[in-house]
Amino acid sequence: MRTLHEAVTRCRTLVVEGPEDIGRNGLLAGLVRAGFMIRRSRGPLHHVDPTRPYRELLAVPGLLAVDGGIIHELVYGPLRHGRSRVTWIQALDFAEAVAERDGALLRLTDSGPPADAETAAAAAAYERAFHTLAQHVPVVTVDAGGPGPPIRAPDAPSLQLGRCKRKLTVGL
């Protein structure tokens, strides 16, 4: 699996991960239009088992897209705090859980130049993390820096806001 379209058509679970400065709203909106339910972990990572909220999210039936955080912690934890609260064993277990749920990781990148030293260090750390995790779960790279093709599920009707123009009336 190499393209976003293949991931959307083949997977029932997608985990969206990437640097903080990359906009993901367009991608997430496209996944909603393709029938995916978007979920995010609420609050800070659990202090004993930081992957627990994400494993709980994976228990939801149907098409699921998780706005990630596990790999974010692997990358930014060491850059900002000297260590990650997520161990590699936990990250690999999470990757295998995603794969078992017919899933893939969507790796967001930006083809533009890095804004600063932390952004460049984060990009390199993401590269290493996804290289390792790709041994356990499919990874699809999506360049979020430029306009991409629309995300569509196969044979799914295109849902657009504003299609319904009728007024809501309440009878007495």
Side-chain angles (χ1 to χ4, degrees):
M1 179 173 358
R2 294 179 182 229
T3 68
L4 178 58
H5 178 73
E6 286 178 306
V8 168
T9 57
R10 289 181 169 178
C11 296
R12 65 183 185 107
T13 308
L14 297 171
V15 177
V16 179
E17 287 275 6
E20 290 177 346
D21 56 348
I22 289 184
R24 56 186 81 219
N25 290 341
L27 174 64
L28 294 174
L31 292 174
V32 167
R33 285 190 300 274
F36 284 83
M37 179 174 37
I38 307 297
R39 291 289 180 249
R40 291 181 176 100
S41 178
R42 296 185 184 202
L45 294 175
H46 189 269
H47 65 284
V48 175
D49 183 3
T51 61
R52 185 174 91 193
Y54 295 94
R55 285 195 318 274
E56 291 170 357
L57 289 174
L58 293 179
V60 173
L63 296 176
L64 175 68
V66 177
D67 192 3
I70 299 292
I71 301 171
H72 180 276
E73 176 63 24
L74 280 175
V75 169
Y76 287 101
L79 287 175
R80 295 182 177 159
H81 309 292
R83 68 176 193 85
S84 174
R85 294 174 288 173
V86 175
T87 68
W88 274 102
I89 298 227
Q90 291 168 322
L92 294 172
D93 285 345
F94 177 71
E96 288 176 359
V98 170
E100 288 171 5
R101 199 179 186 282
D102 301 324
L105 300 178
L106 297 182
R107 173 187 175 208
L108 299 181
T109 62
D110 185 351
S111 57
D116 54 34
E118 183 184 72
T119 303
Y126 270 108
E127 177 70 31
R128 289 188 302 273
F130 280 111
H131 179 74
T132 301
L133 295 172
Q135 299 171 38
H136 300 273
V137 64
V139 173
V140 176
T141 300
V142 178
D143 184 3
I151 301 167
R152 292 206 173 108
D155 303 323
S158 175
L159 301 176
Q160 299 291 326
L161 294 175
R163 280 179 81 188
C164 299
K165 299 195 186 252
R166 289 184 257 163
K167 292 182 180 179
L168 175 65
T169 59
V170 180
L172 298 175

